[in-house]
Amino acid sequence: MNVQLHLRLLAAAASTGLALTACGSSGSTSHAPASPSAPPDTPASSSPSPRSAAAPAPPGTTTGLTPQTYKPTALPEPKTRTAHASGLGRLQPLWPFTSLAQARAWERDYHSGGHQPWHLDPDLTALAFTQGYLGFQDIGRVSSHHVSGRHAHIGVGLSKPKGVTGTAAIIHLVRYGTGRDAPWEVVGTDDTTFSLTLPAYGATVRSPLLTGGRITGVDESIRVQVRQPSSGAPLGTACCVAAGGNNQPWKERVSYRGATNRVLTVVATTGGHVAEVERFTVTAVHPG
């Protein structure tokens, strides 16, 4: 399905009042660890040139998504944290689905009515995660695209780069489920010059949370947030850590409250040169 058809379908979905979440359901370190259980079952494909696309909008909005306008509807989550319950092995489901049951519910709705086909496009899912869930409105361009089997690594960058053409983050997505039309799920980021290695990916944590990693840059200002899919606003924010240099360590402690989802997203950002958010990195944790 080409990009133009996707965008026409997204426009139709917005005009009929479909929500951003599933119908009827609701640096040099990678935070999503390599998954040996996922073999390269299809040849890798890549796009030599980046493309831009708007993230799908929720009902009643005509501009970009914000955390305040994002209103997910959640299904009951599994009580356990086993690989069988998540359906992703060691990988953690960050967004848009909080459980395999949600992903399967969307797949059934898609088969019966064609609802929200953007879940089948890793580029559109990566942009929706960046703009709709994280609220980074200036980051709306796909800068790189690599799909291998059930895994995708999608680079996203500034929509209006003002001379900056790089990548803000590379988002790791995995097909959530085993069906032919299993949707794409964000499971982490692949880090290069800006990393978030503390807490460890998949760790069980409590507030206040000590975060940290490494960064390469000049006059950087790091902000840390804790988020969950069922909440529009961050559960906690810490700002701002001055940082810079070549692969230098950084640390920050963030307090949060109101964690009810099984998996939380910890996101660190830096910017202030040409945009508020110019680079970001995420990791997945479990509330203790």
Side-chain angles (χ1 to χ4, degrees):
M1 184 180 294
N2 58 34
V3 174
Q4 290 76 17
L5 179 56
H6 269 300
L7 295 179
R8 287 199 298 271
L9 289 170
L10 292 173
S15 67
T16 56
L18 294 176
L20 180 58
T21 52
C23 295
S25 69
S26 31
S28 46
T29 302
S30 172
H31 295 314
S35 38
S37 60
D41 44 26
T42 62
S45 64
S46 61
S47 172
S49 59
R51 66 177 176 86
S52 298
T61 60
T62 56
T63 58
L65 300 173
T66 66
Q68 290 73 29
T69 59
Y70 170 61
K71 301 293 184 183
T73 303
L75 288 175
E77 295 186 2
K79 299 298 184 181
T80 62
R81 296 173 180 169
T82 64
H84 175 73
S86 72
L88 296 172
R90 291 182 299 162
L91 300 177
Q92 306 298 317
L94 286 177
W95 193 89
F97 304 102
T98 62
S99 68
L100 184 58
Q102 283 192 356
R104 287 172 172 167
W106 169 82
E107 194 170 353
R108 290 192 297 269
D109 288 335
Y110 173 72
H111 290 160
S112 64
H115 297 306
Q116 299 183 333
W118 62 270
H119 286 297
L120 296 176
D121 187 314
D123 289 2
L124 294 178
T125 303
L127 289 175
F129 172 76
T130 302
Q131 294 187 312
Y133 179 41
L134 300 182
F136 302 156
Q137 295 301 300
D138 291 336
I139 301 177
R141 175 178 59 90
V142 171
S143 58
S144 64
H145 171 99
H146 181 83
V147 176
S148 178
R150 303 182 66 82
H151 291 255
H153 300 266
I154 307 300
V156 293
L158 294 172
S159 302
K160 300 177 181 178
K162 299 179 182 178
V164 179
T165 59
T167 293
I170 297 177
I171 298 173
H172 183 187
L173 305 96
V174 176
R175 289 275 199 180
Y176 204 177
T178 58
R180 181 188 62 184
D181 294 323
W184 288 102
E185 176 80 7
V186 175
V187 296
T189 53
D190 303 331
D191 299 336
T192 54
T193 59
F194 183 30
S195 68
L196 177 57
T197 56
L198 183 69
Y201 182 86
T204 299
V205 302
R206 298 189 180 191
S207 178
L209 174 62
L210 180 62
T211 66
R214 290 186 173 272
I215 190 168
T216 295
V218 178
D219 295 329
E220 304 298 332
S221 180
I222 300 174
R223 177 191 299 262
V224 180
Q225 291 184 341
V226 178
R227 288 185 170 272
Q228 65 181 4
S230 64
S231 301
L235 304 182
T237 300
C239 185
C240 296
V241 181
N246 182 26
N247 196 30
Q248 293 299 302
W250 66 269
K251 286 186 178 180
E252 177 64 303
R253 194 176 297 274
V254 56
S255 297
Y256 63 92
R257 59 184 301 177
T260 58
N261 289 186
R262 189 175 60 87
V263 180
L264 305 179
T265 304
V266 183
V267 53
T269 66
T270 185
H273 302 95
V274 297
E276 181 180 1
V277 176
E278 297 164 2
R279 287 183 288 169
F280 70 91
T281 170
V282 306
T283 194
V285 296
H286 298 283

